[in-house]
Amino acid sequence: MLTDVYPWQRGIWASLNRLLVAERLPHAMLFAAPAGTGKRRLADAFAARMLCQSPVADTACGHCRGCELLAAGTHPDYYVLSPEGDGEKVSKVIKIDQARAVVSFAAQTAQMQGYRVIIIEPADALNTASANALLKTLEEPGQRCVFLLLTDQPTALLATIRSRCQLLPLSLPSDDDALTWLRPQLSAPAMAETLLALARGAPLAALALSEAPWFIQRGTLLDALLAVGSGADQPLTAAAAFAKMPAIEQITAWQSLLDDAVQQGLAPESPVRHSDLPLLKQLAEINAQCLLETLWQAVEARRLLDDTNVAAATIIDNLWLHWARATRQGGHHVRR
Ligand SMILES: [Zn+2]
């Protein structure tokens, strides 16, 4: 288990340790921050710190019995509450039976004579029933029992849960801190700014993005959008050229490029997120209504892909056909 926090978490790490040493930890703490900012690493490191029997310089030692059991996934005083598999799919909610199991875990005494730690992730997966089952325990979990709740979407969290947690002041790292961390990990460090902008400042998301198929192929897709928009290429020929790229990746690329182009069209002074793609300016010159309608079509395509049995290839074909129609109506031809 990684017990080191990210550089931008050192301030909050020091605060958590001060509270721990002073035995003034809240019963329940809410780690609310955008996805890709490393809050699970912070929670894991702090859980390890709480369960370690001989911490070194405020960090879990990695060698004691507590650290060994935690690394082996068998620590008796550590519990993770997350949605479970539901047949083939992972459920989106934490069920009431799971919440009840945590309540009885919290009612026991620690087996290793230290803290008991319960991680709930994502906390917004608690529905009304499972949240209600937890409320009393969250308020009074008993001696040295600490809940760490994680969420990307604090507004999706039930108010009854939120009001029982101490909100940790987690914020996005500054761009400088994020880039300092990101650059050495990239095979093309010059892409760091673009990646961070597209990941809206979340460094881990930016790193993951550097390997995402849609990110790698978005330049080719932009070329194809412009070619179809200008009539130089046929929509279904373009669709066929991307047949090997997963539909969800294609839709993500469409949305990201169109979103950026719409922003540019509305406010040409605003920074371009796809700053390495000079042709994005050409996309932004297309009629805003046409771009917005296509953006909406891409959102709809994502919904069809997620929630219906419509074949992915059909969804993508229709997106291209829409684009060809929309750009050819009313003289919205792309200048090339
Ligand atoms: Zn240890």
Side-chain angles (χ1 to χ4, degrees):
M1 174 173 291
L2 292 160
T3 50
D4 236 8
V5 297
Y6 292 105
W8 56 89
Q9 297 172 331
R10 285 188 189 129
I12 188 77
W13 180 252
S15 309
L16 285 169
N17 272 288
R18 275 195 297 276
L19 290 169
L20 176 63
V21 170
E23 305 226 1
R24 287 180 39 233
L25 278 180
H27 306 306
M29 286 175 274
L30 182 60
F31 293 57
T37 50
K39 59 188 170 303
R40 180 60 193 260
R41 166 96 71 104
L42 179 67
D44 280 342
F46 193 56
R49 165 72 181 88
M50 280 189 277
L51 297 172
C52 176
Q53 293 158 339
S54 53
V56 181
D58 277 351
T59 301
C61 73
H63 310 295
C64 69
R65 185 87 185 115
C67 285
E68 276 179 2
L69 288 169
L70 189 62
T74 52
H75 199 295
D77 299 321
Y78 174 76
Y79 201 109
V80 177
L81 177 60
S82 284
E84 284 175 348
D86 209 6
E88 286 183 4
K89 284 189 173 176
V90 173
S91 167
K92 285 181 182 164
V93 298
I94 293 171
K95 302 209 170 90
I96 187 164
D97 291 347
Q98 295 178 264
R100 285 188 180 132
V102 170
V103 170
S104 60
F105 173 82
Q108 295 157 15
T109 47
Q111 297 193 35
M112 306 276 293
Q113 279 134 31
Y115 277 91
R116 277 166 303 146
V117 182
I118 299 153
I119 291 182
I120 305 182
E121 183 192 32
D124 48 89
L126 290 164
N127 62 15
T128 311
S130 54
N132 282 342
L134 271 180
L135 292 184
K136 201 161 168 290
T137 306
L138 265 185
E139 249 170 20
E140 295 175 4
Q143 276 286 313
R144 293 191 145 201
C145 182
V146 174
F147 281 86
L148 309 178
L149 291 86
L150 279 61
T151 183
D152 299 344
Q153 306 176 70
T155 52
L157 203 62
L158 292 168
T160 49
I161 294 289
R162 202 167 52 232
S163 66
R164 283 165 175 83
C165 297
Q166 176 103 25
L167 180 67
L168 290 191
L170 300 184
S171 51
L172 280 175
S174 69
D175 279 1
D176 279 351
D177 285 354
L179 291 170
T180 303
W181 177 83
L182 184 59
R183 277 197 196 99
Q185 317 210 41
L186 297 173
S187 52
M191 291 305 291
E193 273 96 349
T194 302
L195 287 162
L196 192 67
L198 285 169
R200 295 172 198 273
L204 307 191
L207 182 60
L209 190 55
S210 69
E211 295 182 352
W214 81 260
F215 178 79
I216 294 165
Q217 293 193 56
R218 85 217 131 95
T220 322
L221 185 78
L222 175 59
D223 292 345
L225 283 170
L226 293 170
V228 171
S230 69
D233 206 351
Q234 293 305 309
L236 294 181
T237 313
F242 291 93
K244 286 195 177 144
M245 186 175 169
I248 188 68
E249 298 283 334
Q250 291 193 53
I251 294 170
T252 303
W254 279 75
Q255 283 184 294
S256 185
L257 292 168
L258 288 163
D259 188 51
D260 211 5
V262 168
Q263 292 284 335
Q264 284 301 302
L266 296 175
E269 307 308 314
S270 62
V272 183
R273 287 205 199 95
H274 294 274
S275 51
D276 60 322
L277 299 179
L279 288 179
L280 195 94
K281 293 271 181 210
Q282 280 192 32
L283 191 65
E285 283 169 11
I286 294 175
N287 172 288
Q289 183 70 24
C290 165
L291 293 175
L292 274 171
E293 275 174 17
T294 309
L295 187 54
W296 187 85
Q297 287 292 327
V299 172
E300 176 64 7
R302 183 180 290 266
R303 189 192 69 78
L304 289 172
L305 193 67
D306 284 349
D307 298 345
T308 69
N309 293 322
V310 182
T314 308
I315 295 172
I316 297 296
D317 284 355
N318 284 336
L319 204 48
W320 282 104
L321 289 167
H322 167 86
W323 176 245
R325 261 197 319 275
T327 44
R328 280 162 210 187
Q329 274 166 8
H332 306 143
H333 286 272
V334 183
R335 277 169 287 158
R336 290 221 88 180

